[in-house]
Amino acid sequence: MRRPILAGNWKMHMTIAEATDFVRSIRRGLNEVRDVDRVLCPPFTVLAAMRDLLSATEIGLGAQNMHWEEKGAFTGEVSPPMVRELAQYVILGHSERRAYFHETDEMVNRKVHAALAHDLLPIVCVGETEAQYDAGQTEQVVGAQVRGCLAGLTAGQVSGLVVAYEPVWAIGTGKAATVAGAGAVIGLTIRGTIARLYDQGTAQAVRVQYGGSVNPANIAEFMAHPDVDGALVGGASLKPDFVDLVRVAAETKR
Ligand code: PGA
């Protein structure tokens, strides 16, 4: 049985003051939801304050990005040991990083290796753009991303990963993928590629989230799909009813 994992990707939202108010309001409810991993991914500047606020809870913390080097002359970047002081998870290869900051699969792959070397659990994002979707290239694009991002990892490392399937056209648009569509990409393309690269056991062990316009009203249908192990939630993770979303997700999988 794969343990479900729900993560909130706050993106570039929330100052320390705003995040403190918000997390105080959701902390107890979120902590009470059983049998799912719950992770908040705030901006770097907010991580330390959130660590203190969440220290007595089971709610995990993640960064939204990270450099692969341990230290050096990389102005503006944050290293794996810096993230590990504050967080247990790190989102890598989000489509906004790929689109606006030119991250490639090769860079994401370096980051994944660095995260694992520093005992951080990566949430590795893959997904096709709208043009690629329209051109029927989803399987090819997502398959290549999985191969590129996981290159050089052992089966044991891959088994412990979280992969987030986030079709770019579904992110922040209110236009979520269909459950059947997302489930097929996750089951056939993502798990299928991992099964071919490694073995069935590894493909069945890796946890795969769906992301893209997930909200409290549609989370149950996604979680009902046997290949979907959770969600990476953007906009809806900034609202108090994120707690309801996580609760419904947990109940659906039980
Ligand atoms: P969204 O974002 O839930 O606002 O669509 C998801 C994501 O980018 O991780």
Side-chain angles (χ1 to χ4, degrees):
M1 270 303 278
R2 298 182 296 264
R3 184 173 165 90
I5 175 165
L6 280 290
N9 173 14
W10 291 5
K11 310 192 180 184
M12 198 170 71
H13 294 283
M14 301 257 196
T15 60
I16 294 176
E18 290 164 345
T20 301
D21 282 351
F22 177 60
V23 166
R24 282 208 176 112
S25 75
I26 64 165
R27 176 172 57 178
R28 178 189 295 205
L30 197 54
N31 193 43
E32 279 171 0
V33 186
R34 295 285 139 211
D35 306 323
V36 292
D37 288 337
R38 296 134 285 168
V39 184
L40 299 179
C41 303
F44 290 127
T45 50
V46 176
L47 279 171
M50 295 305 102
R51 180 197 50 179
D52 297 343
L53 277 177
L54 298 175
S55 61
T57 73
E58 289 172 13
I59 302 165
L61 269 179
Q64 299 172 14
N65 176 37
M66 185 184 81
H67 199 278
W68 57 84
E69 291 288 347
E70 281 190 26
K71 57 182 161 190
F74 300 102
T75 301
E77 292 291 320
V78 170
S79 76
M82 293 171 189
V83 172
R84 188 65 189 91
E85 273 188 320
L86 300 168
Q88 305 83 43
Y89 298 83
V90 59
I91 299 172
L92 297 175
H94 190 279
S95 63
E96 287 150 18
R97 301 286 327 159
R98 295 172 185 263
Y100 306 139
F101 304 98
H102 313 295
E103 283 196 20
T104 62
D105 290 330
E106 197 211 323
M107 291 160 76
V108 178
N109 180 244
R110 287 190 196 200
K111 295 179 181 204
V112 173
H113 280 274
L116 292 170
H118 289 275
D119 191 31
L120 281 160
L121 206 161
I123 298 174
V124 183
C125 302
V126 297
E128 80 286 3
T129 63
E130 181 151 44
Q132 291 163 336
Y133 177 82
D134 288 342
Q137 295 168 343
T138 300
E139 198 179 326
Q140 178 194 330
V141 168
V142 173
Q145 288 173 332
V146 169
R147 285 192 299 276
C149 293
L150 305 190
L153 297 180
T154 66
Q157 287 175 319
V158 173
S159 301
L161 286 185
V162 176
V163 175
Y165 170 56
E166 299 205 304
V168 177
W169 47 269
I171 295 177
T173 58
K175 212 173 69 179
T178 63
V179 176
V185 175
I186 291 173
L188 302 176
T189 304
I190 297 179
R191 292 196 202 282
T193 300
I194 293 173
R196 283 189 291 279
L197 286 172
Y198 297 91
D199 51 72
Q200 261 313 327
T202 306
Q204 290 305 317
V206 64
R207 293 187 289 176
V208 187
Q209 298 174 314
Y210 166 74
S213 298
V214 171
N215 60 46
N218 65 17
I219 185 65
E221 7 166 8
F222 284 105
M223 296 304 289
H225 193 288
D227 275 313
V228 177
D229 303 315
L232 183 56
V233 184
S237 74
L238 296 166
K239 300 187 193 136
D241 61 4
F242 182 58
V243 176
D244 299 321
L245 189 161
V246 173
R247 197 177 293 126
V248 170
E251 282 162 8
T252 311
K253 274 300 185 204
R254 232 168 247 143

